[in-house]
Amino acid sequence: MNSSISGPIAHIHLPRSGASAALPVATMADLLQMCGVPFAQQGAAENVQVNLRTLHAGASLVHQGALADALFFVRSGTFKVFRTDEDGYEQVLAFAIRGELLGFDALCMESHPIAILALDESTVFVVPRREIEGLCKTVPPFAFALQQAGSLTLTRSRELVDILAAVASDVRLARFLIQLSKRLADCGQSPLRFHLRMGRREIASLLGVAHETVSRCFGALSAMGLLYVDDREVEILDMGGLKAFSRSTRRPVDDSALLRNRSLIPRRTRGSLRPLAA
Amino acid sequence: MNSSISGPIAHIHLPRSGASAALPVATMADLLQMCGVPFAQQGAAENVQVNLRTLHAGASLVHQGALADALFFVRSGTFKVFRTDEDGYEQVLAFAIRGELLGFDALCMESHPIAILALDESTVFVVPRREIEGLCKTVPPFAFALQQAGSLTLTRSRELVDILAAVASDVRLARFLIQLSKRLADCGQSPLRFHLRMGRREIASLLGVAHETVSRCFGALSAMGLLYVDDREVEILDMGGLKAFSRSTRRPVDDSALLRNRSLIPRRTRGSLRPLAA
DNA sequence: CGGGACGTTGACTCAAATCAATAACCGTGG
DNA sequence: CCACGGTTATTGATTTGAGTCAACGTCCCG
């Protein structure tokens, strides 16, 4: 939340709206490629420009309740999707990384039901809502990509329900980390070692637990030897074990090996933080 | 899972694929009207046929892992969307009623990640996947309706996250009932009095609590005078109070009137079930 | 009539929320 | 430069909400 701000403060280019700056324009072909559309019919896409928008860490992409006049495809960086209800509690609904579609849930209404914030230096493709129909006609693969991305977003949301429905909070955390790891792998990043862009409080909100519990669960998982954790630096040491652990649902049936692992370890084997592997 | 099979076994009409039976065909115009598309360009839609499929209570619409070769729009009835993981635990992900899109999450893969079951005598519009592209071209409003319905499904899923993220289980139940009430109202049904098509166990799974807890929470809400409950028959007696109660997030702040209500009532004011109002 | 599914209620226990204290870090500003 | 307030993370102590186990009543279907 700092590094990009604490750097040299001089000459900010402020590439917000579609100025004809150097960076903030790309082609539809770039977008389609990111969405995994092969080379099919990208001929037309080469000639269609799509605006980009750059956001610094902490910048807001959409405010809750704002007019929904565009869709966004994340090109780089990390976003937090959340809702603040009237009593001020902030409910995180998703974290989005490269390839994900933002604002799709607002298509069926006029204004965004949620807020979106950059957690990182980030860029998004901007597709104005009024252009969607035309683009679907002139660049058919875009219609396909939109469907795919919408479908993927729904799938992600369903996965989150699976995460939240887990009873034990350490199982929730394990499932969250596995899901995150998979997504990072899809982006070509290391699935085993990564830097969390979000704070404990935000993870806690997503998982529906207290933030202290997130801390403790990180400790518990690393005590089991499944993880190495140092603040926001995470390394998965035993993906197999983590997955096995994450499968615990309600009342782990009986004295399966899994259950035994959970209860035999006396809540903290040795120092909860182990030195970084290798 | 039985009634459609265990019924009279004689001359089953088997209205699965596009037979030319009396019931199982409708027009695209019917579908668009249900999705709230005005009369715009429905001229073309009138001439495009869409298959219907009828399901008895307990019948399966899609099996988990089945090939995803179609989308479904619920025309009538109720469906349960769920996932069974390898240890046999059944996680309910959504209940769907008229107007909702089923199978959208499978568009980005080959097979359905979830199972869908009719809880009721139900009918769905069937849109084969290979026809989607063509339909979007020949009947542009369909492309729009598909986007809208997909967006709506995502919104619903996000609302579910809000429900699940509530700390207290009685707050979860309250939020669930409010959401259900709204959806029923959208279908023209009474938002204040309705029959639950799903069992306690299924509600419990959706809410991520034990089924006994659902029972107790129904009791608690009716003890507060917010609800009348008799088995699956529900009447919301005080929608304002229910909404106020549902807003409790973590640690209900202080000794607000709401909180006092919760703790003052000695766990059961009078008989937890009150006679049906009026 | 008996078995099975479903719903309710009670008793007990434990996991996690809450309250609280501490430490580390950061940017600000004296 | 260092002191200061603010934010974040960790850890401990205490309490309580809800999961689990168990018993019971009802209804439906065979």
Side-chain angles (χ1 to χ4, degrees), chain A:
Chain A
M1 207 206 256
N2 44 6
S3 58
S4 66
I5 295 175
S6 65
I9 319 163
H11 51 82
I12 299 173
H13 278 296
L14 197 51
R16 306 249 339 195
S17 27
S20 57
L23 177 63
V25 170
T27 72
M28 178 57 76
D30 296 328
L31 203 172
L32 293 181
Q33 187 196 343
M34 184 182 79
C35 292
V37 176
F39 290 122
Q41 299 236 354
Q42 289 204 0
E46 286 282 359
N47 303 320
V48 177
Q49 290 206 332
V50 178
N51 284 336
L52 285 179
R53 184 166 159 192
T54 302
L55 296 100
H56 298 287
S60 171
L61 177 61
V62 324
H63 292 98
Q64 188 171 335
L67 186 70
D69 54 1
L71 286 176
F72 308 96
F73 290 83
V74 181
R75 197 183 73 155
S76 67
T78 314
F79 289 88
K80 171 175 78 165
V81 179
F82 63 104
R83 228 175 56 84
T84 306
D85 39 45
E86 55 280 347
D87 66 352
Y89 179 74
E90 179 179 304
Q91 175 60 51
V92 176
L93 295 163
F95 296 112
I97 60 176
R98 177 175 169 84
E100 291 183 54
L101 175 56
L102 296 174
F104 185 64
D105 49 357
L107 269 192
C108 62
M109 45 190 112
E110 320 95 51
S111 57
H112 287 285
I114 45 79
I116 308 179
L117 197 82
L119 294 178
D120 227 351
E121 188 76 11
S122 310
T123 58
V124 292
F125 293 94
V126 180
V127 179
R129 194 169 175 172
R130 64 178 184 286
E131 294 179 12
I132 293 175
E133 195 177 343
L135 283 173
C136 287
K137 277 177 188 151
T138 58
V139 191
F142 173 71
F144 180 72
L146 181 54
Q147 276 172 25
Q148 294 285 305
S151 173
L152 186 64
T153 306
L154 178 59
T155 299
R156 290 273 153 75
S157 182
R158 295 250 152 108
E159 284 170 3
L160 177 57
V161 172
D162 274 354
I163 291 174
L164 281 164
V167 261
S169 52
D170 39 14
V171 173
R172 289 188 195 197
L173 181 61
R175 292 188 184 179
F176 167 71
L177 290 172
I178 291 168
Q179 201 215 11
L180 182 60
S181 168
K182 279 201 199 109
R183 292 207 273 158
L184 289 172
D186 287 346
C187 295
Q189 298 183 52
S190 165
L192 293 183
R193 190 164 171 189
F194 43 85
H195 177 83
L196 297 172
R197 300 328 211 286
M198 67 297 288
R200 297 285 188 269
R201 207 172 293 270
E202 294 163 316
I203 296 175
S205 174
L206 187 80
L207 301 186
V209 300
H211 73 278
E212 299 96 324
T213 302
V214 174
S215 258
R216 282 186 249 264
C217 291
F218 268 121
L221 293 180
S222 60
M224 285 185 242
L226 302 175
L227 290 184
Y228 163 77
V229 182
D230 175 35
D231 198 37
R232 297 190 179 185
E233 221 54 52
V234 174
E235 178 171 8
I236 296 176
L237 299 175
D238 177 5
M239 180 58 94
L242 191 62
K243 283 185 176 169
F245 181 77
S246 78
R247 278 191 264 277
S248 319
T249 46
R250 8 203 97 244
R251 194 68 319 209
V253 201
D254 225 43
D255 48 339
S256 76
L258 277 178
L259 175 56
R260 210 168 312 130
N261 274 348
R262 275 187 71 189
S263 49
L264 275 192
I265 294 181
R267 233 52 191 134
R268 185 166 308 98
T269 331
R270 72 200 89 223
S272 65
L273 295 185
R274 310 197 328 186
L276 228 172

Side-chain angles (χ1 to χ4, degrees), chain B residues 204-249:
Chain B
S205 173
L206 187 80
L207 300 185
V209 300
H211 72 277
E212 298 96 327
T213 301
V214 174
S215 258
R216 281 186 251 265
C217 291
F218 267 121
L221 293 180
S222 58
M224 285 185 245
L226 302 175
L227 289 184
Y228 163 78
V229 182
D230 176 35
D231 199 37
R232 298 191 180 185
E233 219 54 52
V234 173
E235 178 170 8
I236 295 176
L237 300 175
D238 177 5
M239 180 59 93
L242 191 63
K243 283 186 175 168
F245 181 77
S246 78
R247 277 191 265 276
S248 318
T249 44

Side-chain angles (χ1 to χ4, degrees), chain B residues 50 105 121 189 195 200-201 203 213 252:
Chain B
V50 177
D105 50 356
E121 188 75 11
Q189 299 182 50
H195 177 82
R200 296 286 187 268
R201 209 172 291 270
I203 296 175
T213 301

Side-chain angles (χ1 to χ4, degrees), chain B residues 5 8 19 26 33 73 98 106 132 148 177 194 220-221 241 259 275:
Chain B
I5 296 174
Q33 186 194 345
F73 290 83
R98 178 176 168 83
I132 293 176
Q148 294 283 305
L177 291 172
F194 43 85
L221 293 180
L259 176 55

